[in-house]
Amino acid sequence: MKINIQNLANNLVELDDVIDSDFLSESYRNHYPGPLKIHVVVDKFGSDIRFNIHLATEAQYQCDRCLSLYRTPFEARLTQIIQIGEGKLKDEEDVVLYPVGTTEIDIDPFLMEMIILNHPVKMLCRDDCKGICPGCGADLNHEPCRCGAEKTDPRWEELRKFIK
Ligand SMILES: [Zn+2]
Ligand SMILES: [Zn+2]
C-alpha cells in the first residue's frame, strides 16, 4: 500500500484501504490470506510524518494441541515516524529516513513488521482445548479417550522412575 505524501497539508489525514496479502512471504500468507483492512492516520509536521497504522484481518491458525484449523480475528497497531531528508530527529532509532524528493511511501514493510510482531507463538483453538490423546489419537474435544492413556499424567511417569 503506497501513500502519496506530495500534496499532504500540515494536518491530519485519515486513509482507509482494503488490500490483499500478496506482499507477505508465503508462510505468513498462509496464516493471513487477507483481505487486510488498513486504517492510517497521517500526521505531517514539516519534513516529518507520523503514521498511526491499524491493521485488521482474519487469521488462520492450526491448534498446537488438537491440530485443527481455526480462524480468529487479528489486529495490530504501529506508530511509525518517517523523515524526508536529514534533520533533527535522525538520531532516534525508530525514525525511518527517506531521501529528499520522496513523493510516496510504501507502507508494506511496516505492515509486515506489524504482522511478525503480533504473530502468536502459541496457537490454541480455545484456552481449554483438551488436545489429542497420545495413546489412541482421539480428539478429546469431540470424543472420549478409548485407551485410558489420557489419565496418565507425565509427571507421575517421572516419579515412578524414582520409586523403582
Ligand atoms: Zn485445539
Ligand atoms: Zn486414549
PDB file of all heavy atoms in Angstrom, residues 8-15 40-45 50-52:
ATOM      1  N   LEU A   8       0.338  16.441   0.762  1.00  0.00           N
ATOM      2  CA  LEU A   8      -0.239  16.432   2.109  1.00  0.00           C
ATOM      3  C   LEU A   8      -0.096  17.803   2.747  1.00  0.00           C
ATOM      4  O   LEU A   8       0.974  18.400   2.739  1.00  0.00           O
ATOM      5  CB  LEU A   8       0.481  15.405   2.999  1.00  0.00           C
ATOM      6  CG  LEU A   8       0.134  13.929   2.849  1.00  0.00           C
ATOM      7  CD1 LEU A   8       0.934  13.134   3.871  1.00  0.00           C
ATOM      8  CD2 LEU A   8      -1.349  13.694   3.050  1.00  0.00           C
ATOM      9  N   ALA A   9      -1.185  18.287   3.317  1.00  0.00           N
ATOM     10  CA  ALA A   9      -1.097  19.533   4.074  1.00  0.00           C
ATOM     11  C   ALA A   9      -0.555  19.206   5.464  1.00  0.00           C
ATOM     12  O   ALA A   9      -0.495  18.045   5.866  1.00  0.00           O
ATOM     13  CB  ALA A   9      -2.482  20.157   4.177  1.00  0.00           C
ATOM     14  N   ASN A  10      -0.113  20.229   6.201  1.00  0.00           N
ATOM     15  CA  ASN A  10       0.310  20.023   7.582  1.00  0.00           C
ATOM     16  C   ASN A  10      -0.932  19.802   8.424  1.00  0.00           C
ATOM     17  O   ASN A  10      -1.434  20.698   9.072  1.00  0.00           O
ATOM     18  CB  ASN A  10       1.106  21.223   8.099  1.00  0.00           C
ATOM     19  CG  ASN A  10       2.541  21.181   7.621  1.00  0.00           C
ATOM     20  OD1 ASN A  10       3.149  20.119   7.537  1.00  0.00           O
ATOM     21  ND2 ASN A  10       3.089  22.334   7.294  1.00  0.00           N
ATOM     22  N   ASN A  11      -1.412  18.584   8.384  1.00  0.00           N
ATOM     23  CA  ASN A  11      -2.696  18.324   9.005  1.00  0.00           C
ATOM     24  C   ASN A  11      -2.878  16.824   9.162  1.00  0.00           C
ATOM     25  O   ASN A  11      -2.097  16.035   8.657  1.00  0.00           O
ATOM     26  CB  ASN A  11      -3.810  18.890   8.112  1.00  0.00           C
ATOM     27  CG  ASN A  11      -4.963  19.427   8.916  1.00  0.00           C
ATOM     28  OD1 ASN A  11      -5.204  18.974  10.039  1.00  0.00           O
ATOM     29  ND2 ASN A  11      -5.678  20.383   8.353  1.00  0.00           N
ATOM     30  N   LEU A  12      -3.920  16.449   9.861  1.00  0.00           N
ATOM     31  CA  LEU A  12      -4.235  15.030   9.992  1.00  0.00           C
ATOM     32  C   LEU A  12      -5.036  14.572   8.784  1.00  0.00           C
ATOM     33  O   LEU A  12      -6.011  15.207   8.404  1.00  0.00           O
ATOM     34  CB  LEU A  12      -5.061  14.773  11.250  1.00  0.00           C
ATOM     35  CG  LEU A  12      -4.339  14.836  12.600  1.00  0.00           C
ATOM     36  CD1 LEU A  12      -5.327  14.548  13.715  1.00  0.00           C
ATOM     37  CD2 LEU A  12      -3.198  13.839  12.650  1.00  0.00           C
ATOM     38  N   VAL A  13      -4.601  13.483   8.193  1.00  0.00           N
ATOM     39  CA  VAL A  13      -5.341  12.894   7.082  1.00  0.00           C
ATOM     40  C   VAL A  13      -5.603  11.432   7.439  1.00  0.00           C
ATOM     41  O   VAL A  13      -4.700  10.743   7.922  1.00  0.00           O
ATOM     42  CB  VAL A  13      -4.521  12.974   5.767  1.00  0.00           C
ATOM     43  CG1 VAL A  13      -5.284  12.339   4.623  1.00  0.00           C
ATOM     44  CG2 VAL A  13      -4.171  14.420   5.449  1.00  0.00           C
ATOM     45  N   GLU A  14      -6.816  10.981   7.222  1.00  0.00           N
ATOM     46  CA  GLU A  14      -7.133   9.574   7.506  1.00  0.00           C
ATOM     47  C   GLU A  14      -7.385   8.830   6.209  1.00  0.00           C
ATOM     48  O   GLU A  14      -8.092   9.310   5.325  1.00  0.00           O
ATOM     49  CB  GLU A  14      -8.363   9.478   8.414  1.00  0.00           C
ATOM     50  CG  GLU A  14      -8.143  10.209   9.725  1.00  0.00           C
ATOM     51  CD  GLU A  14      -9.016   9.691  10.846  1.00  0.00           C
ATOM     52  OE1 GLU A  14      -9.436   8.520  10.782  1.00  0.00           O
ATOM     53  OE2 GLU A  14      -9.275  10.471  11.781  1.00  0.00           O
ATOM     54  N   LEU A  15      -6.756   7.663   6.099  1.00  0.00           N
ATOM     55  CA  LEU A  15      -6.885   6.854   4.893  1.00  0.00           C
ATOM     56  C   LEU A  15      -7.387   5.468   5.260  1.00  0.00           C
ATOM     57  O   LEU A  15      -6.960   4.899   6.260  1.00  0.00           O
ATOM     58  CB  LEU A  15      -5.525   6.721   4.196  1.00  0.00           C
ATOM     59  CG  LEU A  15      -4.779   8.011   3.839  1.00  0.00           C
ATOM     60  CD1 LEU A  15      -3.334   7.705   3.496  1.00  0.00           C
ATOM     61  CD2 LEU A  15      -5.477   8.700   2.676  1.00  0.00           C
ATOM     62  N   VAL A  40      -5.064   4.260   8.269  1.00  0.00           N
ATOM     63  CA  VAL A  40      -3.847   5.022   8.560  1.00  0.00           C
ATOM     64  C   VAL A  40      -4.219   6.464   8.882  1.00  0.00           C
ATOM     65  O   VAL A  40      -4.972   7.106   8.141  1.00  0.00           O
ATOM     66  CB  VAL A  40      -2.863   5.028   7.358  1.00  0.00           C
ATOM     67  CG1 VAL A  40      -1.522   5.639   7.778  1.00  0.00           C
ATOM     68  CG2 VAL A  40      -2.646   3.628   6.816  1.00  0.00           C
ATOM     69  N   VAL A  41      -3.713   6.956  10.014  1.00  0.00           N
ATOM     70  CA  VAL A  41      -3.812   8.383  10.315  1.00  0.00           C
ATOM     71  C   VAL A  41      -2.439   8.980  10.023  1.00  0.00           C
ATOM     72  O   VAL A  41      -1.438   8.569  10.612  1.00  0.00           O
ATOM     73  CB  VAL A  41      -4.204   8.634  11.789  1.00  0.00           C
ATOM     74  CG1 VAL A  41      -4.286  10.148  12.058  1.00  0.00           C
ATOM     75  CG2 VAL A  41      -5.528   7.961  12.108  1.00  0.00           C
ATOM     76  N   VAL A  42      -2.399   9.887   9.069  1.00  0.00           N
ATOM     77  CA  VAL A  42      -1.143  10.515   8.673  1.00  0.00           C
ATOM     78  C   VAL A  42      -1.080  11.899   9.301  1.00  0.00           C
ATOM     79  O   VAL A  42      -1.994  12.708   9.129  1.00  0.00           O
ATOM     80  CB  VAL A  42      -1.045  10.646   7.135  1.00  0.00           C
ATOM     81  CG1 VAL A  42       0.334  11.168   6.736  1.00  0.00           C
ATOM     82  CG2 VAL A  42      -1.334   9.314   6.456  1.00  0.00           C
ATOM     83  N   ASP A  43      -0.019  12.133  10.068  1.00  0.00           N
ATOM     84  CA  ASP A  43       0.148  13.400  10.768  1.00  0.00           C
ATOM     85  C   ASP A  43       1.450  14.019  10.274  1.00  0.00           C
ATOM     86  O   ASP A  43       2.532  13.555  10.607  1.00  0.00           O
ATOM     87  CB  ASP A  43       0.199  13.132  12.287  1.00  0.00           C
ATOM     88  CG  ASP A  43       0.261  14.407  13.099  1.00  0.00           C
ATOM     89  OD1 ASP A  43       0.196  15.504  12.494  1.00  0.00           O
ATOM     90  OD2 ASP A  43       0.375  14.306  14.325  1.00  0.00           O
ATOM     91  N   LYS A  44       1.328  15.061   9.462  1.00  0.00           N
ATOM     92  CA  LYS A  44       2.526  15.670   8.881  1.00  0.00           C
ATOM     93  C   LYS A  44       2.889  16.936   9.637  1.00  0.00           C
ATOM     94  O   LYS A  44       2.032  17.778   9.894  1.00  0.00           O
ATOM     95  CB  LYS A  44       2.260  15.991   7.404  1.00  0.00           C
ATOM     96  CG  LYS A  44       3.496  16.499   6.673  1.00  0.00           C
ATOM     97  CD  LYS A  44       3.179  16.835   5.225  1.00  0.00           C
ATOM     98  CE  LYS A  44       4.424  17.399   4.547  1.00  0.00           C
ATOM     99  NZ  LYS A  44       4.096  18.045   3.273  1.00  0.00           N
ATOM    100  N   PHE A  45       4.154  16.996  10.033  1.00  0.00           N
ATOM    101  CA  PHE A  45       4.626  18.243  10.651  1.00  0.00           C
ATOM    102  C   PHE A  45       5.977  18.588  10.022  1.00  0.00           C
ATOM    103  O   PHE A  45       7.008  18.025  10.350  1.00  0.00           O
ATOM    104  CB  PHE A  45       4.681  18.140  12.181  1.00  0.00           C
ATOM    105  CG  PHE A  45       5.263  16.863  12.738  1.00  0.00           C
ATOM    106  CD1 PHE A  45       6.508  16.871  13.339  1.00  0.00           C
ATOM    107  CD2 PHE A  45       4.552  15.651  12.675  1.00  0.00           C
ATOM    108  CE1 PHE A  45       7.042  15.702  13.862  1.00  0.00           C
ATOM    109  CE2 PHE A  45       5.084  14.483  13.198  1.00  0.00           C
ATOM    110  CZ  PHE A  45       6.338  14.498  13.785  1.00  0.00           C
ATOM    111  N   ARG A  50       4.161  11.297  10.718  1.00  0.00           N
ATOM    112  CA  ARG A  50       3.863  10.187  11.620  1.00  0.00           C
ATOM    113  C   ARG A  50       2.690   9.384  11.062  1.00  0.00           C
ATOM    114  O   ARG A  50       1.649   9.937  10.712  1.00  0.00           O
ATOM    115  CB  ARG A  50       3.511  10.712  13.018  1.00  0.00           C
ATOM    116  CG  ARG A  50       3.164   9.575  13.987  1.00  0.00           C
ATOM    117  CD  ARG A  50       2.680  10.075  15.334  1.00  0.00           C
ATOM    118  NE  ARG A  50       3.735  10.684  16.114  1.00  0.00           N
ATOM    119  CZ  ARG A  50       3.712  11.925  16.580  1.00  0.00           C
ATOM    120  NH1 ARG A  50       2.684  12.689  16.319  1.00  0.00           N
ATOM    121  NH2 ARG A  50       4.709  12.400  17.288  1.00  0.00           N
ATOM    122  N   PHE A  51       2.907   8.074  10.965  1.00  0.00           N
ATOM    123  CA  PHE A  51       1.830   7.172  10.554  1.00  0.00           C
ATOM    124  C   PHE A  51       1.322   6.422  11.777  1.00  0.00           C
ATOM    125  O   PHE A  51       2.111   5.775  12.469  1.00  0.00           O
ATOM    126  CB  PHE A  51       2.341   6.119   9.555  1.00  0.00           C
ATOM    127  CG  PHE A  51       2.707   6.672   8.206  1.00  0.00           C
ATOM    128  CD1 PHE A  51       3.972   6.486   7.680  1.00  0.00           C
ATOM    129  CD2 PHE A  51       1.770   7.358   7.448  1.00  0.00           C
ATOM    130  CE1 PHE A  51       4.316   6.964   6.424  1.00  0.00           C
ATOM    131  CE2 PHE A  51       2.100   7.842   6.189  1.00  0.00           C
ATOM    132  CZ  PHE A  51       3.374   7.651   5.679  1.00  0.00           C
ATOM    133  N   ASN A  52       0.038   6.517  12.039  1.00  0.00           N
ATOM    134  CA  ASN A  52      -0.590   5.631  13.021  1.00  0.00           C
ATOM    135  C   ASN A  52      -1.371   4.601  12.222  1.00  0.00           C
ATOM    136  O   ASN A  52      -2.398   4.913  11.628  1.00  0.00           O
ATOM    137  CB  ASN A  52      -1.535   6.402  13.950  1.00  0.00           C
ATOM    138  CG  ASN A  52      -0.785   7.071  15.082  1.00  0.00           C
ATOM    139  OD1 ASN A  52      -0.012   6.423  15.788  1.00  0.00           O
ATOM    140  ND2 ASN A  52      -0.992   8.363  15.238  1.00  0.00           N
TER     141      ASN A  52
END
